[in-house]
Amino acid sequence: MSVLEMKVPSPGESITEVEIATWLVKDGDYVEKDQPIAEVDSDKATLELPAEQSGVITLKAEEGDVVQVGQVVCLIDMDAAKPEGAAPAAEAPKQEEAPKATEPAKQEAPKPAAPVAAPQTYATGAPSPAAKKILDEKGMDAAQVSGTGRDGRITKTDAELAAVPALGGSPMTATGARTTTTTKLSVLRRKIAQRLVSVKNETAMLTTFNEVDMSEIFRLRKQYKEEFAQKHGVGLGFMSFFTKAVTRALQMYPDVNASIDGDFKVNYDFCDISIAVSGPKGLMVPVLRNAENMSFASVEANIKDLAVKVRDGKITVDEMTGGTFTITNGGTFGSMMSTPIINPPQSAILGMHNIIQRPVAVDGQVVIRPMMYVAMSYDHRIIDGKESVGFLVAVKEGIDNPVEILLGGDERKGLGL
């Protein structure tokens, strides 16, 4: 009998353990070679675990278990014959209902004689006439008030001191579902939480704001979108303009493209831009390597490819490792303004927001323009205020005037058309 022990492969450098997020097969199933059998969470990504051989699988770990890299998580019996076809599950025989025991004829219990109505009294918890009037004015029921009079009688003072219940009904009652659900955070989500807290505690983070006019980018996209898509096979989006504006600004302000390592500052002569992408497992930040050398079409194609990998759970740790600066776009979810948080060990991040038609002053005239607020959070330990403001102004220049600043004065040539 040939049995393969499947061990957890290393998802990437420095990762020593993963969590079994989901088994995609059941114990005893027949699996094919390279068939995804599980999803595993590391502190950087969610990855699929493919079967190394074909055979019948025996699971050795449960969902939610944290396992070490190299640990055996399942066995595959490679000698097991592949079933010709999945036979329909046999229906479980219906259990015959046991004959009901003959029930003795129910004899109606004699009805108790109706109690003789007692004469009404105010010593049984009912309000006095004066108290009743006050409760009626407050819109309260006597049952909501505790009487302090003899035998629980509600006195005028009780009624005057009674608090009116909050809107929505009696505080003693509740309507609607009141269930709660508790789920364990994934390794990835726990790691993100840990890193975000450490950023707030270990960096001197500040944020500077500005606004950009998207008019020219709107015009370029409208004029060239079909030609651009036909030639390059991808759409002309906003992110390529912002990526090119950021790489230009990073070269103008190199300390924004740097990080702190202990008592040292590390400057990078390349621009690896992390692009925040929302996926089923949370926010991922795949990296565009040497984005400063990419064309508009190359930026769009790479972002599309990485976004598809994030959505399908195919992104690798290597594709998210590194990065010297991050761009995040909260505007896709409707955010007007936010303070993005730095992605360590980077020193700065640019936040994009939604585009709103707003009145602005242009050459002494009020006109309506598509405007976007942008925010840059930065580590003040390494980036001074002058540099942060200058960097964001440089990004604004590229977005406000993309033809001259980003496309070299020739929009068709600059877009690769």
Side-chain angles (χ1 to χ4, degrees):
M1 177 176 177
S2 300
V3 177
L4 171 70
E5 292 184 338
M6 268 201 62
K7 301 178 180 179
V8 178
S10 174
E13 186 180 356
S14 79
I15 297 178
T16 59
E17 63 182 22
V18 298
E19 182 178 295
I20 305 296
T22 308
W23 280 110
L24 304 177
V25 295
K26 293 180 292 187
D27 194 67
D29 281 357
Y30 187 90
V31 297
E32 297 283 357
K33 184 179 180 181
D34 296 328
Q35 173 187 340
I37 59 174
E39 289 182 350
V40 296
D41 285 341
S42 72
D43 60 7
K44 295 183 179 179
T46 297
L47 307 169
E48 285 187 345
L49 187 66
E52 296 176 7
Q53 294 292 339
S54 300
V56 172
I57 192 167
T58 302
L59 307 184
K60 292 295 184 182
E62 301 288 339
E63 289 184 0
D65 285 356
V66 176
V67 295
Q68 300 296 315
V69 170
Q71 182 176 333
V72 176
V73 289
C74 65
L75 306 176
I76 298 179
D77 181 4
M78 297 181 292
D79 293 335
K82 179 180 178 180
E84 295 183 1
E91 293 186 1
K94 294 183 178 179
Q95 294 183 352
E96 295 184 2
E97 294 185 1
K100 294 183 179 179
T102 305
E103 297 181 357
K106 294 183 178 178
Q107 296 181 354
E108 293 187 2
K111 294 182 179 178
V116 178
Q120 187 171 356
T121 177
Y122 293 108
T124 58
S128 67
K132 185 176 186 306
K133 181 180 178 182
I134 295 173
L135 293 177
D136 289 342
E137 289 173 352
K138 289 185 173 184
M140 295 180 63
D141 190 279
Q144 297 173 300
V145 182
S146 225
T148 60
R150 185 178 178 184
D151 295 330
R153 182 179 183 181
I154 300 173
T155 65
K156 180 181 177 181
T157 303
D158 295 332
E160 288 174 342
L161 296 177
V164 178
L167 294 177
S170 167
M172 301 300 294
T173 61
T175 58
R178 294 176 59 78
T179 59
T180 60
T181 303
T182 302
T183 55
K184 184 179 180 181
L185 294 176
S186 67
V187 171
L188 176 60
R189 178 58 60 185
R190 297 198 301 269
K191 187 64 175 180
I192 290 174
Q194 179 185 341
R195 293 181 69 186
L196 293 182
V197 171
S198 69
V199 169
K200 296 290 287 184
N201 292 338
E202 298 173 10
T203 66
M205 194 177 81
L206 295 179
T207 304
T208 184
F209 302 91
N210 213 316
E211 62 180 358
V212 295
D213 186 344
M214 301 291 290
S215 301
E216 273 297 288
I217 292 179
F218 271 41
R219 179 189 68 80
L220 290 169
R221 292 183 71 221
K222 182 178 180 181
Q223 183 173 349
Y224 296 111
K225 64 178 181 180
E226 294 183 0
E227 187 178 357
F228 189 90
Q230 287 179 352
K231 179 165 184 180
H232 300 295
V234 289
L236 179 59
F238 296 130
M239 194 57 76
S240 54
F241 288 96
F242 276 89
T243 300
K244 299 301 290 182
V246 161
T247 56
R248 169 182 173 269
L250 288 175
Q251 291 170 329
M252 294 172 63
Y253 297 90
D255 278 352
V256 180
N257 196 44
S259 63
I260 288 182
D261 183 9
D263 294 332
F264 297 90
K265 179 181 69 172
V266 181
N267 283 90
Y268 306 99
D269 59 2
F270 52 87
C271 300
D272 284 357
I273 306 300
S274 302
I275 305 293
V277 179
S278 180
K281 296 290 185 179
L283 199 65
M284 305 289 183
V285 279
V287 180
L288 298 178
R289 311 286 180 189
N290 289 105
E292 76 278 8
N293 298 327
M294 289 185 177
S295 65
F296 279 76
S298 180
V299 171
E300 295 290 353
N302 278 275
I303 290 177
K304 179 181 178 181
D305 179 59
L306 293 170
V308 170
K309 288 183 177 181
V310 168
R311 183 194 65 200
D312 295 342
K314 305 290 187 182
I315 196 76
T316 66
V317 172
D318 289 340
E319 289 171 316
M320 293 190 296
T321 301
T324 61
F325 186 91
T326 296
I327 302 175
T328 181
N329 185 5
T332 57
F333 306 106
S335 171
M336 184 187 76
M337 181 77 78
S338 68
T339 302
I341 194 164
I342 299 169
N343 180 21
Q346 299 171 20
S347 296
I349 180 173
L350 178 74
M352 301 165 55
H353 300 92
N354 62 356
I355 302 167
I356 300 292
Q357 295 285 338
R358 293 205 310 271
V360 294
V362 178
D363 297 330
Q365 300 293 322
V366 176
V367 296
I368 305 299
R369 294 287 179 89
M371 305 297 292
M372 176 197 289
Y373 291 121
V374 288
M376 175 189 162
S377 294
Y378 60 98
D379 189 345
H380 208 352
R381 297 177 302 167
I382 192 172
I383 302 170
D384 292 332
K386 178 182 177 181
E387 292 174 310
S388 65
V389 172
F391 175 90
L392 201 54
V393 168
V395 172
K396 174 180 171 61
E397 291 172 347
I399 301 302
D400 287 353
N401 188 11
V403 175
E404 296 299 325
I405 303 296
L406 304 181
L407 301 175
D410 187 338
E411 54 195 56
R412 289 187 57 82
K413 183 178 179 181
L415 292 172
L417 301 176

